[in-house]
Amino acid sequence: MILLDYKDSRPIYEQVVEGLQRLMLLGVLEEDSQMPSVRSLAMELSINPNTIQRAYGELERRGCIYTVKGRGSFVGNIENLREKEKEAIAGKMEALAEEAAGLGMDGESFIEMARQAGEKMKGGIKR
């Protein structure tokens, strides 16, 4: 399910892209499965079909989906998406490490904080 936040500063199509990527990563949308049609998803979300078309275009540009002429759009290689998300997390971790160093925190303390955060995930990934 995709939830749109009209108070969010991001455009609606970006929220749709993020929501669809999350559904792919969770396995709700499986690799090579057909995506909902632009019209049906627009009706479901009560938004303009052009917004969905733009979101699908962005997902295709990112390699998350592919289009088969006359058949529709399909989920692409989810492992590639997963790797890109891991790279994004690594970038965030680097930024956090720099921020922690700026506060005078040593590497061991930072690693311990990361370990504790990881321990909280053992019961399941927080969403």
Side-chain angles (χ1 to χ4, degrees):
M1 175 174 215
I2 299 172
L3 298 176
L4 301 176
D5 181 0
Y6 293 99
K7 294 178 184 175
D8 192 328
S9 62
R10 295 174 303 150
I12 297 298
Y13 86 93
E14 286 182 10
Q15 293 180 47
V16 172
V17 167
E18 182 182 292
L20 289 171
Q21 285 182 324
R22 188 177 65 252
L23 292 174
M24 290 173 196
L25 291 170
L26 291 172
V28 175
L29 294 174
E30 297 176 350
E31 196 167 314
D32 295 322
S33 66
Q34 188 164 14
M35 297 287 292
S37 73
V38 168
R39 182 163 289 154
S40 68
L41 188 55
M43 285 177 45
E44 182 181 322
L45 297 176
S46 300
I47 59 177
N48 190 307
N50 291 337
T51 303
I52 300 299
Q53 189 63 50
R54 186 169 181 186
Y56 277 21
E58 179 62 21
L59 286 166
E60 190 161 11
R61 188 187 68 74
R62 294 181 184 183
C64 297
I65 66 172
Y66 60 94
T67 301
V68 177
K69 201 166 188 92
R71 295 210 41 230
S73 297
F74 296 83
V75 177
N77 187 330
I78 294 175
E79 197 54 42
N80 287 343
L81 175 58
R82 191 168 276 116
E83 287 304 315
K84 288 177 186 175
E85 290 296 315
K86 286 179 184 179
E87 289 173 15
I89 289 171
K92 291 175 186 176
M93 288 293 292
E94 286 179 25
L96 284 172
E98 288 178 17
E99 187 177 338
L103 294 172
M105 185 182 289
D106 65 12
E108 289 299 318
S109 298
F110 180 77
I111 291 169
E112 179 59 24
M113 286 180 104
R115 189 193 63 71
Q116 288 174 2
E119 287 293 318
K120 291 179 183 178
M121 290 174 48
K122 282 192 176 178
I125 297 174
K126 289 187 175 183
R127 305 213 191 280

